[in-house]
Amino acid sequence: MRIFQLMTFYEPCLKRFHRENPQVLSATYDEHIRALLSDGFSCGHIIGPALKQYGYDTEVVIANCRELQEHWCKEAGIPFPNWPEEAPSIVARQMETFEPDIFYCCDPVNYDSSFVRRLHSRPSLVIGWRAAYIPLQTDWSLFDLILSSSPLCRKIALERGARETEYFYPGFDKRFYNCEVNSEKQYDVVFCGTFSEHFVQRTSLFTSLAKASLRDDASFIPAFFMHISSNADNMPAGISMYNHGDRFGRAMYQMLASGRIALNAAIDFAENIAPNMRLFESSGVGTFLLTERQRNIQAFFHPGKELETFADEKELLEKIDYYLAHPEKRQAIAEKGRERCHRDYSLEIRARAFDRLVRRRMNPVPPLSLGGIEAMTRAVKQFVRMAQKMREVDVTWTPPADVVAFVDAALQGVASSLATGKKEMVTELFAAIQSLDLSIIGVNYCAALDLLAQNDQAGAAAALFAELAAFPENDKARERLSLLLA
């Protein structure tokens, strides 16, 4: 399959990149975009390259990068249009040239259905990603699917016309651990992110933090590296005093790696629900992460072992003091957090989740009829007898790929039936699948759905944790666990 991913970058990031890398202006388009993507801005979202291992042909464009798009137009032999008004026309030409099966739009606000209508040929699947404010005028009526980690975003997406929504979140690009692992710890407490007067909770927290650092008995000095998205005059003096200016891409990872403690405070829109990107960016570079106590944080990390949390300003200051005074404990937690991030939330794992999501959409499993369930049950029981005989000969035997694919499709049907209260239809089928004793994605997830139907929340949570330990790419299990813990 061919997937076309559209990105837009912050303008200050693009200006800085070209100022620091003027050689790309005389490079080819391919060399230019390769250098820009290697710089690391928004790399946790750029899933296209990681999908190549699953057989995808991928194309990533940075739609608002004038210098890059000028390169493309020149090499394509077409006039460069009025900028920025006609920037979408270039992207449309790029899509027509690439002929994708899937359009994955990571800026579906500026490139909403009005852009999709410009395309001469609509891809088979139009997907958007959003986990932030959605303007009222946004039109997603031509989007088959909006992905988001935010329940509020998914609710609003349907109101804006999206046909469906699904749970999804970005990942961590491990290249930036390998690059920055030796960064010296220069700062006590660091935060990299955006300042806006609309982020009321974050602004209040950091103002208090700045004031606390001025006390005679203060044990720390904060270092903020903040992109200002609105009027700089609205930044409180305390935050401004410690703001070293924005950092993007590789430079941001360097700053996160240079902190003894990295702070995470999400935007108000997130409604105290994990994850946000900073969870992965900070833990991924191996820095001790101190995050607000997001309601479902345990669905992603183990507090006290892989990161630490705070509920209010008092607890925040207490834990900063404690972990600065106990570097061995801080470092042990940071290392466990890094291991968890790399194992469960790398771009490779997130690409596996995206691939699974796409293939379910492109080749959906039809609703199970009673006759279909009976036929599947007979087939699975036959697989069970075959497995028993094969394991008598070879205890390491594993089933062929076509059997695994069949069971996977059966499990999708079981999950759908359990989720819609039709347990009695699939009880025998699910029991047969469980008796296969195979490590297949979805078995423990279906067990959790069954336990939830029995109102056994503790048992369901245990089954979901087991599912995610074996298959961290199972986003349906992660979503269900998040809802359970929140």
Side-chain angles (χ1 to χ4, degrees):
M1 285 187 284
R2 298 169 68 80
I3 182 166
F4 183 97
Q5 183 174 7
L6 181 151
M7 301 289 300
T8 54
F9 286 4
Y10 291 167
E11 290 294 343
C13 168
L14 292 171
K15 289 179 180 177
R16 178 173 295 176
F17 173 81
H18 288 102
R19 185 171 64 249
E20 295 176 355
N21 300 275
Q23 72 280 3
V24 300
L25 298 176
S26 57
T28 65
Y29 173 82
D30 286 344
E31 292 168 340
H32 190 164
I33 193 166
R34 190 160 52 245
L36 185 52
L37 295 180
S38 295
D39 193 55
F41 180 76
S42 204
C43 61
H45 291 273
I46 301 173
I47 204 164
L51 286 169
K52 291 181 180 179
Q53 65 183 309
Y54 297 107
Y56 292 81
D57 291 327
T58 65
E59 181 83 4
V60 179
V61 300
I62 315 301
N64 65 327
C65 181
R66 175 172 182 150
E67 295 85 351
L68 188 61
Q69 295 298 69
E70 282 181 332
H71 263 146
W72 189 86
C73 288
K74 182 179 179 180
E75 292 181 15
I78 61 176
F80 187 72
N82 293 331
W83 187 272
E85 296 81 8
E86 284 301 310
S89 68
I90 304 175
V91 181
R93 291 289 294 268
Q94 289 170 314
M95 287 187 68
E96 289 163 14
T97 300
F98 186 67
E99 297 182 333
D101 302 296
I102 302 158
F103 174 36
Y104 182 35
C105 181
C106 290
D107 184 359
V109 169
N110 289 305
Y111 286 80
D112 66 355
S113 295
S114 61
F115 170 74
V116 179
R117 290 188 186 96
R118 301 177 68 142
L119 303 176
H120 293 310
S121 177
R122 184 181 182 278
S124 300
L125 195 57
V126 177
I127 305 174
W129 154 264
R130 187 72 174 173
Y133 172 70
I134 304 167
L136 185 61
Q137 69 273 17
T138 303
D139 174 11
W140 286 339
S141 59
L142 294 182
F143 279 72
D144 299 297
L145 186 63
I146 292 293
L147 305 179
S148 184
S149 56
S150 162
L152 179 57
C153 244
R154 291 175 59 185
K155 176 179 178 293
I156 297 173
L158 296 173
E159 295 170 358
R160 301 290 189 271
R163 296 173 186 176
E164 292 185 73
T165 69
E166 276 211 38
Y167 183 79
F168 189 76
Y169 52 90
F172 177 71
D173 189 333
K174 290 191 289 187
R175 292 177 303 165
F176 293 94
Y177 168 72
N178 295 330
C179 289
E180 316 308 343
V181 68
N182 295 319
S183 290
E184 180 185 351
K185 299 295 184 183
Q186 303 175 50
Y187 303 104
D188 294 325
V189 182
V190 300
F191 174 83
C192 295
T194 298
F195 169 80
S196 168
E197 66 267 28
H198 302 298
F199 301 164
V200 177
Q201 295 175 21
R202 178 185 291 177
T203 300
S204 175
L205 182 71
F206 289 173
T207 300
S208 298
L209 186 67
K211 288 179 179 178
S213 72
L214 297 175
R215 297 189 318 230
D216 291 340
D217 62 344
S219 65
F220 67 92
I221 297 175
F224 304 131
F225 300 90
M226 301 184 77
H227 164 64
I228 300 173
S229 70
S230 52
N231 189 346
D233 294 337
N234 292 328
M235 177 178 280
I239 297 178
S240 181
M241 179 189 308
Y242 293 116
N243 186 28
H244 298 259
D246 53 26
R247 298 291 190 278
F248 301 113
R250 187 177 302 274
M252 180 201 69
Y253 287 107
Q254 289 172 339
M255 292 304 99
L256 288 173
S258 70
R260 295 176 183 88
I261 295 174
L263 285 185
N264 180 40
I267 62 176
D268 299 33
F269 189 85
E271 297 186 308
N272 203 29
I273 295 289
N276 61 333
M277 277 306 303
R278 206 165 297 102
L279 281 181
F280 306 136
E281 293 164 345
S282 301
S283 61
V285 298
T287 296
F288 173 88
L289 178 59
L290 183 53
T291 180
E292 58 191 343
R293 192 163 298 148
Q294 293 158 306
R295 288 183 283 159
N296 62 328
I297 188 65
Q298 292 184 67
F300 291 89
F301 290 94
H302 193 308
K305 292 186 177 181
E306 298 168 335
L307 48 64
E308 262 293 3
T309 66
F310 62 90
D312 52 33
E313 177 192 333
K314 181 176 181 291
E315 189 176 13
L316 169 64
L317 297 176
E318 288 173 351
K319 288 190 173 178
I320 288 175
D321 288 342
Y322 179 82
Y323 282 105
L324 287 177
H326 295 84
E328 70 292 340
K329 291 184 179 180
R330 186 182 75 235
Q331 291 162 9
I333 290 173
E335 178 58 19
K336 288 292 185 183
R338 182 200 64 78
E339 290 174 358
R340 178 70 180 277
C341 179
H342 288 205
R343 183 184 71 240
D344 289 359
Y345 310 119
S346 68
L347 269 183
E348 291 76 16
I349 294 295
R350 299 313 303 145
R352 194 185 304 167
F354 190 90
D355 170 61
R356 186 170 177 80
L357 179 155
V358 164
R359 292 186 190 279
R360 285 202 318 266
R361 292 279 161 177
M362 300 293 272
N363 302 288
V365 175
L368 295 182
S369 64
L370 184 58
I373 291 171
E374 291 172 348
M376 275 188 167
T377 303
R378 288 194 298 272
V380 172
K381 287 181 175 180
Q382 185 177 348
F383 296 154
V384 171
R385 291 191 291 271
M386 177 181 71
Q388 290 171 342
K389 291 180 180 179
M390 296 301 294
R391 284 172 179 151
E392 288 174 1
V393 178
D394 180 3
V395 294
T396 65
W397 176 85
T398 56
D402 59 340
V403 171
V404 174
F406 181 89
V407 174
D408 180 48
L411 278 168
Q412 291 182 48
V414 169
S416 177
S417 296
L418 289 171
T420 53
K422 299 175 182 176
K423 175 184 174 180
E424 67 284 351
M425 289 181 61
V426 293
T427 298
E428 188 179 1
L429 172 58
F430 185 44
I433 292 172
Q434 287 177 302
S435 67
L436 269 172
D437 194 25
L438 296 177
S439 179
I440 295 180
I441 186 170
V443 174
N444 280 308
Y445 171 62
C446 288
L449 295 179
D450 189 17
L451 290 164
L452 283 173
Q454 302 171 49
N455 204 30
D456 183 356
Q457 295 192 354
L464 291 168
F465 277 119
E467 175 74 20
L468 291 166
F471 302 101
E473 70 272 23
N474 190 337
D475 285 358
K476 290 191 175 296
R478 188 87 59 191
E479 178 187 19
R480 183 69 64 165
L481 182 58
S482 290
L483 291 171
L484 199 56
L485 295 174

